[in-house]
Amino acid sequence: MKRQYGFLIMVLALMSLWGCAGRTPSLTTQTATGPAGSATDCAVKSAPGREVTIHITRDSRQKTRIPDPATVGNKVSITLPEQDYLCENDGYSDLCKDCRKHLFVDLSFAGFQKPVIVTSSIQKGNQLYLMVTNTDKTVASDDTDWKDEHYVLMLDYGNRSFSRCKTDFQFNYGYLWWYKMQLKDLTGDGLEELIVSFVFNHDDIGMEIFMPDHKKQNLKKIFTNLDHNCANFTSFSGWLEDNYTAVLNYEEIGFRKTVSLLDAGYKKNQLEEMDVRSDYDLYRPVRLWKNGRLQKNGQGQDMIRLYATQEARFIKMKKGIPQIRLRNAVIVSHRSQSIGDMYTYFQYNEKTETIQFSSAKFKLYKKGEK
């Protein structure tokens, strides 16, 4: 019994010494076991699961350091930039010397031939998920940053393995808080999927979701709204009709709604053609009717369309399984003329193992939801 007390005192003494060492940056320590087939285990299993202690230091003043899972022992030390770090040049011109020195990290073990930038990260047990930008530039300008490649990388330190998947994100890497990572069960099976979001003006507007593919033992992308191939765009059709009305249609899910532009806040004299056109007329794009009759220049499928996604978030269904809800403005003729918001909903389909389009709602800006 005395030996046990003596051992406990020695352990507490060592812990106090560690605390007195006084690292300036924040420190996260986690001990976890990584058995094969664990909830977030989606990498190639090159070694059996083992107990690993991971120390993560978040400090943008230090060099980013991410060790190879295949070569580490049972104690792993990782240094990452702070999530709210911002280059002093705002990411729109030459990256400052400190950025080039500290942000770029060698991840050649994961197949990246040149150093990459870590723009977001999240840890769960033995797994560390990273959002990285693969670029050989030290400049993030509007003309060049769209060509950079962005990847999700999962490092499994329990199984000494990794998995990566290319994303469709194409946004500037200068602001590290533009990307957000979450782990959430979207399928109801108790296993967590990885959600990567692009945040702008405090709203998630771009989203990609990855799930473990146990057959291929890698990350499988099951949802993206980053291009116009997403069903909220591809399934939408709309057109204008007489009496200042618009028809909004999603044939795939049986949604059709006829709305009046007068209910959206427009007045008849703002929608009627003018004898003399003015380049300074705010309502010129929607002057498509004459005495309430739709004119030829207002006909066609492209007169009503969805604008860029303004919000992507999760809401819970009655059974507790989350749905994805996207919000897009519905515009008439020009992006400056919008009549309301289209909300589209997506949920997981177990048969196809994908997240599919399920329903839609439209809300006028002036009168609320119809």
Side-chain angles (χ1 to χ4, degrees), residues 21-84:
R23 290 191 182 190
T24 302
S26 60
L27 181 67
T28 301
T29 304
Q30 182 165 354
T31 303
T33 303
S38 59
T40 53
D41 181 12
C42 46
V44 177
K45 302 173 181 63
S46 58
R50 61 202 176 110
E51 186 174 297
V52 177
T53 301
I54 298 177
H55 300 282
I56 297 181
T57 303
R58 295 188 180 274
D59 186 1
S60 300
R61 297 167 297 176
Q62 296 188 32
K63 173 69 176 175
T64 300
R65 180 180 178 276
I66 303 170
D68 182 354
T71 62
V72 298
N74 292 335
K75 293 184 178 181
V76 183
S77 295
I78 298 170
T79 303
L80 297 171
E82 296 151 318
Q83 190 67 22
D84 59 351

Side-chain angles (χ1 to χ4, degrees), residues 273-281 284-285 287-288 297:
E273 280 190 341
M274 297 179 65
D275 295 333
V276 179
R277 291 193 173 190
S278 170
D279 292 336
Y280 302 100
D281 179 15
R284 182 177 178 180
R287 294 189 182 278
L288 304 171
N297 61 338

